[in-house]
Amino acid sequence: APCCDKLYTCRLCHDNNEDHQLDRFKVKEVQCINCEKIQRAQQTCEECSTLFGEYYCSVCHLFDKDKKQYHCENCGICRIGPKEDFFHCLKCNLCLAMNLQGKHKCIENVSRQDCPICLEDIHTSRIVAHVLPCGHLLHRTCYEEMVKEGYRCPLCMHSAFDMSRYWRQLDDEVAQTPMPSEYQNMTVDILCNDCNGRSTVQFHIVGMKCNICESYNTAQAGGCRISVDQQ
């Protein structure tokens, strides 16, 4: 480690034991565990020919088993591949699966933000990032925990996955739950978290459906009122 001149088997071991982080890009030397020869960072020991790693990146100084890794110049770090299965989105500044090319919402430098669930770094994390329909990122593990309790992005409240089946269930529940007579002519202004549209709908205790995109992911944007022509 160039920062403290100590030997560690990996940068994570260093960071867990020191009060500072190892700059992986500044590593210049490695020591062979077999012959203990200290030498310039490289893939194979110059003394005993021990293979330090099936994969080696001379930029990140990453030694690892072969996981089809590749170094992304735009990300600035190595990613688990295979490379042909990913593309780098220049606006999001992140490597994404090819099936998302042209099909995801871009947010500039979104990967440089921390995960809103665990507040840990996403860009350099070893945990796969999950792209929400709104374009925000979560760690895949955080996303899996989030959907056990809710369905909305913690940043913008947009639905985190296709809710159309659940919306149809709410349609049935609304139809089967008539409101008391004093509420039947009551309307309310709502804001839809999915389409950002505003509409005026009939108030219902089960939920209020957006007139634009038919989502129930809505919030009341004003007080309830009785229609003048129906009073």
Side-chain angles (χ1 to χ4, degrees):
C3 45
C4 54
D5 292 326
K6 295 179 182 179
L7 291 164
Y8 282 97
T9 53
C10 76
R11 67 179 182 87
L12 300 176
C13 295
H14 170 279
D15 293 352
N16 288 336
N17 285 277
E18 302 292 342
D19 60 0
H20 59 276
Q21 291 188 328
L22 170 65
D23 186 343
R24 70 180 82 177
F25 305 107
K26 292 183 178 179
V27 171
K28 301 297 181 185
E29 294 180 310
V30 294
Q31 182 185 52
C32 177
I33 290 178
N34 289 332
C35 70
E36 298 185 349
K37 169 74 173 180
I38 294 179
Q39 57 203 278
R40 64 182 176 83
Q42 54 194 318
Q43 189 169 16
T44 305
C45 177
E46 62 186 36
E47 186 74 20
C48 66
S49 299
T50 294
L51 183 66
F52 296 147
E54 295 172 346
Y55 174 84
Y56 170 63
C57 175
S58 60
V59 179
C60 298
H61 300 299
L62 171 66
F63 301 87
D64 203 355
K65 293 180 180 179
D66 183 10
K67 301 172 184 173
K68 306 298 182 184
Q69 298 96 325
Y70 66 97
H71 182 85
C72 176
E73 291 292 342
N74 290 310
C75 282
I77 57 175
C78 292
R79 299 290 190 191
I80 294 178
K83 185 176 182 179
E84 57 270 19
D85 289 349
F86 296 86
F87 75 100
H88 184 89
C89 176
L90 292 174
K91 186 172 182 179
C92 294
N93 205 359
L94 179 70
C95 284
L96 299 171
M98 288 298 295
N99 61 10
L100 291 175
Q101 193 164 21
K103 300 178 182 178
H104 71 285
K105 182 178 179 180
C106 289
I107 298 178
E108 193 165 358
N109 284 327
V110 67
S111 73
R112 298 312 199 270
Q113 302 171 9
D114 291 339
C115 172
I117 301 293
C118 67
L119 304 181
E120 297 291 337
D121 176 60
I122 289 181
H123 185 72
T124 61
S125 175
R126 291 178 294 167
I127 302 173
V128 175
H130 181 84
V131 185
L132 298 177
C134 56
H136 291 121
L137 298 182
L138 305 176
H139 288 123
R140 176 63 59 80
T141 51
C142 293
Y143 169 77
E144 291 170 351
E145 287 299 314
M146 183 198 76
V147 297
K148 294 177 182 179
E149 304 292 337
Y151 66 92
R152 297 186 292 192
C153 169
L155 292 175
C156 68
M157 306 303 285
H158 191 284
S159 295
F161 46 88
D162 183 8
M163 294 290 292
S164 56
R165 182 177 178 181
Y166 182 61
W167 299 157
R168 289 195 294 270
Q169 292 176 355
L170 286 182
D171 283 341
D172 293 338
E173 190 172 345
V174 168
Q176 296 170 16
T177 313
M179 293 292 289
S181 57
E182 62 266 30
Y183 292 103
Q184 288 182 358
N185 295 328
M186 185 172 288
T187 61
V188 63
D189 294 330
I190 61 170
L191 172 65
C192 179
N193 291 317
D194 286 340
C195 72
N196 295 322
R198 291 178 178 270
S199 51
T200 301
V201 299
Q202 184 175 356
F203 173 79
H204 200 284
I205 193 66
V206 172
M208 289 166 286
K209 183 177 182 177
C210 174
N211 283 338
I212 302 170
C213 69
E214 300 188 335
S215 166
Y216 278 93
N217 182 11
T218 61
Q220 189 169 322
C224 296
R225 58 184 179 274
I226 302 295
S227 299
V228 175
D229 58 346
Q230 295 178 339
Q231 287 181 341

